[in-house]
């Protein structure tokens, strides 16, 4: 049997969605002009996306994404701790009530969060960014020979957008806001404690997120889960960051399977004594995941530009790669960038998927 001839998509690195968009599914011949047109379309979209970076932040309208629900939101918890321990007047009153003049121990027993969002603009800029997100995620699945994990990538315009029960839902918004109600307990060394409810609201600084949730179902037994939806904000003045968001969060979902497997094995072999201990263990592995994702995203974007004949230096001349935030979760990011560059995209991806522990040995 003669080997099957490569399809047009395989020959030119085009995805099925791109072929359908250009109306050429089923053709057996190709010419230079349509191919040039395809790349021109990508360039036009990126020109539009360039205009998004740096647009002023909008403050409305705020639409409800999801009503209040119990959510161990790390960003909210960090915000509460920063705010509380910056309020000396409040801490003084609490210490007086519990009869303790020195340090207090804070335990955040429960957080309820309502998510709200400002829609991204529904003009040509928003449409171009949505097409780009579809294109770059297709590229990642094609590079790895993996099935598309997304049920939809949409730009919601009304409150309570539907979350698919089959696959991951990705939502493109301008900004994400979080209203919260937290049950906090302050305990003195004597054992005296008081409980209070703290409420507030913040705009999220996480432009994209794939959260890992850990629940203790019995002493020493924990369940891990990642949310079936992800929200991508376009409120940034850095083009590299804007283009990296869909690639980064997609890679978190793909690599997260290996990370979660490693964490579960750790829990089985050495069961944590508390939920806090379990979260600390998971945080270390999530920092490792951040390191490899950062390196892979850079490779993905460079290959994406090469395949579409876009000159990297021209595209990011005024938008260099964003600095890695000085946050604990990114403590291995710089090493990850170098290791992925040394190993190459596919080797790094395969190594991590096979064994995050062996990747960690190479990294540290």
């Amino acid at each position: 049997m003669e080997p099957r001839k490569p399809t047009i998509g395989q020959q030119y690195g085009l995805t099925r969605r791109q072929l359908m968009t250009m109306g050429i599914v089923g053709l057996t011949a190709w010419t230079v002009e349509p191919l040039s047109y395809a790349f021109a379309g990508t360039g036009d979209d990126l020109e539009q996306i360039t205009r998004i970076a740096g647009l002023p932040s909008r403050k409305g309208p705020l639409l409800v994404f999801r009503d209040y629900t119990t959510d161990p939101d790390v960003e909210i918890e960090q915000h509460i701790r920063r705010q509380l321990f910056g309020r000396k007047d409040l801490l003084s009153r609490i210490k007086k009530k519990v009869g303790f003049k020195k340090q207090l121990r804070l335990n955040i027993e429960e957080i309820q969060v309502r998510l709200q969002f400002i829609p991204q603009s529904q003009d040509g800029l928003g449409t171009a960014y949505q097409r780009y997100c579809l294109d770059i995620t297709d590229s990642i699945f094609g590079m790895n020979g993996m099935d598309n994990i997304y049920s939809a990538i949409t730009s919601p315009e009304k409150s309570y957008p539907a979350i698919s029960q089959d696959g991951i839902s990705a939502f493109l918004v301008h900004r994400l806001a979080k209203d919260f109600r937290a049950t906090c307990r302050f305990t003195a060394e004597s054992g005296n404690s008081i409980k209070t409810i703290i409420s507030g609201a913040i705009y999220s600084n996480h432009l994209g997120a794939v959260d890992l949730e850990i629940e203790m179902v019995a002493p020493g037994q924990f369940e891990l889960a990642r949310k079936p939806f992800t929200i991508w904000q376009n409120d940034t003045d850095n083009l590299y960051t804007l283009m990296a968001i869909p690639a980064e969060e997609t890679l978190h979902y793909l690599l997260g399977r290996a990370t979660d497997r490693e964490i579960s094995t750790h829990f089985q072999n050495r069961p944590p004594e508390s939920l806090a201990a379990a979260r600390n263990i998971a945080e270390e592995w999530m920092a490792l995941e951040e390191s490899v994702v950062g390196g892979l995203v850079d490779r993905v974007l460079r290959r994406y530009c090469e395949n579409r004949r876009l000159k990297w230096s021209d595209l990011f001349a005024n938008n260099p790669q964003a600095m890695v935030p000085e946050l604990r979760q990114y403590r291995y990011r710089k090493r990850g960038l170098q290791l992925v560059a040394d190993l190459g995209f596919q080797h790094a991806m395969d190594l991590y998927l096979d064994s995050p522990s062996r990747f960690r040995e190479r990294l540290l």
Side-chain angles (χ1 to χ4, degrees):
M1 180 182 294
E2 292 184 1
R4 179 180 295 178
K5 293 181 179 180
T7 66
I8 295 169
Q10 291 169 336
Q11 286 178 329
Y12 295 102
L14 299 174
T15 66
R16 183 172 180 271
R17 183 181 282 116
Q18 289 170 314
L19 292 172
M20 291 177 69
T21 300
M22 293 181 287
I24 52 85
V25 173
L27 293 181
T28 57
W30 193 246
T31 61
V32 173
E33 289 78 15
L35 184 60
S36 300
Y37 174 79
F39 287 121
T42 301
D44 291 343
D45 278 350
L46 291 182
E47 184 178 346
Q48 295 276 69
I49 294 169
T50 302
R51 294 170 54 197
I52 296 175
L55 286 177
S57 296
R58 291 185 283 114
K59 296 184 178 180
L62 270 174
L63 305 178
V64 178
F65 180 85
R66 184 197 68 192
D67 281 324
Y68 280 102
T69 187
T70 300
D71 186 345
D73 190 296
V74 174
E75 186 179 24
I76 295 292
E77 180 171 345
Q78 291 173 344
H79 170 78
I80 291 171
R81 291 184 181 277
R82 283 196 304 269
Q83 293 297 310
L84 282 178
F85 289 103
R87 291 279 309 278
K88 293 184 179 180
D89 57 332
L90 176 61
L91 291 177
S92 296
R93 292 199 301 271
I94 293 173
K95 287 178 180 179
K96 187 175 181 180
K97 284 186 178 181
V98 297
F100 195 60
K101 296 182 179 180
K102 296 183 180 179
Q103 290 185 342
L104 288 171
R105 180 165 54 86
L106 167 63
N107 180 35
I108 301 177
E109 297 181 344
E110 182 184 73
I111 302 175
Q112 291 193 328
V113 181
R114 177 176 68 174
L115 299 179
Q116 298 191 84
F117 67 96
I118 299 174
Q120 74 165 351
S121 61
Q122 296 304 317
D123 55 15
L125 301 184
T127 303
Y129 188 57
Q130 184 173 359
R131 279 197 300 264
Y132 165 74
C133 290
L134 291 167
D135 196 23
I136 190 71
T137 52
D138 267 349
S139 296
I140 292 173
F141 299 127
M143 289 168 68
N144 294 284
M146 294 180 172
D147 292 334
N148 192 328
I149 61 173
Y150 293 112
S151 58
I153 298 177
T154 59
S155 302
E157 301 178 51
K158 298 180 180 179
S159 292
Y160 305 106
I163 299 174
S164 173
Q165 301 301 311
D166 181 23
I168 306 298
S169 299
F171 298 97
L172 311 182
V173 305
H174 176 57
R175 299 181 79 183
L176 175 66
K178 299 178 179 180
D179 300 332
F180 63 87
R181 298 190 296 242
T183 303
C184 301
R185 182 176 295 278
F186 294 88
T187 306
E189 205 171 61
S190 63
N192 293 338
S193 68
I194 62 170
K195 185 164 66 174
T196 185
I197 303 295
I198 295 175
S199 60
I202 63 170
Y203 278 110
S204 176
N205 286 323
H206 297 172
L207 295 180
V210 176
D211 298 321
L212 173 63
E213 297 181 343
I214 303 175
E215 180 183 1
M216 185 165 68
V217 295
Q221 296 182 22
F222 302 87
E223 288 186 353
L224 309 179
R226 302 210 180 205
K227 283 188 172 75
F229 66 87
T230 176
I231 300 174
W232 303 340
Q233 303 183 67
N234 68 12
D235 184 28
T236 176
D237 60 2
N238 187 279
L239 178 61
Y240 184 96
T241 299
L242 191 63
M243 292 181 65
I245 291 168
E248 182 164 345
E249 306 318 319
T250 299
L251 287 165
H252 272 301
Y253 273 117
L254 296 178
L255 296 172
R257 302 166 184 173
T259 307
D260 299 353
R261 184 183 68 237
E262 197 79 26
I263 295 171
S264 295
T265 300
H266 188 114
F267 287 174
Q268 291 170 9
N269 295 336
R270 287 166 284 175
E273 295 182 356
S274 65
L275 181 58
R279 287 175 175 167
N280 287 337
I281 293 168
E283 192 276 334
E284 174 66 20
W285 288 105
M286 288 299 293
L288 184 73
E289 183 180 306
E290 287 285 0
S291 75
V292 64
V293 165
L296 292 174
V297 165
D298 191 68
R299 299 294 100 188
V300 166
L301 291 183
R302 288 180 184 276
R303 188 178 300 185
Y304 181 85
C305 291
E306 289 171 5
N307 289 345
R308 286 150 185 80
R309 302 175 184 173
L310 301 169
K311 196 171 181 180
W312 182 270
S313 58
D314 291 345
L315 189 60
F316 297 110
N318 299 316
N319 284 272
Q321 181 175 346
M323 295 293 292
V324 177
E326 293 293 332
L327 299 175
R328 179 171 169 75
Q329 70 196 69
Y330 298 122
R331 57 189 177 276
Y332 304 136
R333 196 75 178 258
K334 190 175 293 185
R335 297 184 194 178
L337 286 167
Q338 185 59 55
L339 181 56
V340 172
D342 293 342
L343 295 176
F345 177 90
Q346 201 59 55
H347 186 186
M349 186 91 175
D350 291 343
L351 176 61
Y352 191 90
L353 287 172
D354 181 62
S355 174
S357 291
R358 286 198 290 117
F359 185 91
R360 187 175 187 274
E361 291 171 1
R362 296 287 297 270
L363 183 75
L364 305 180

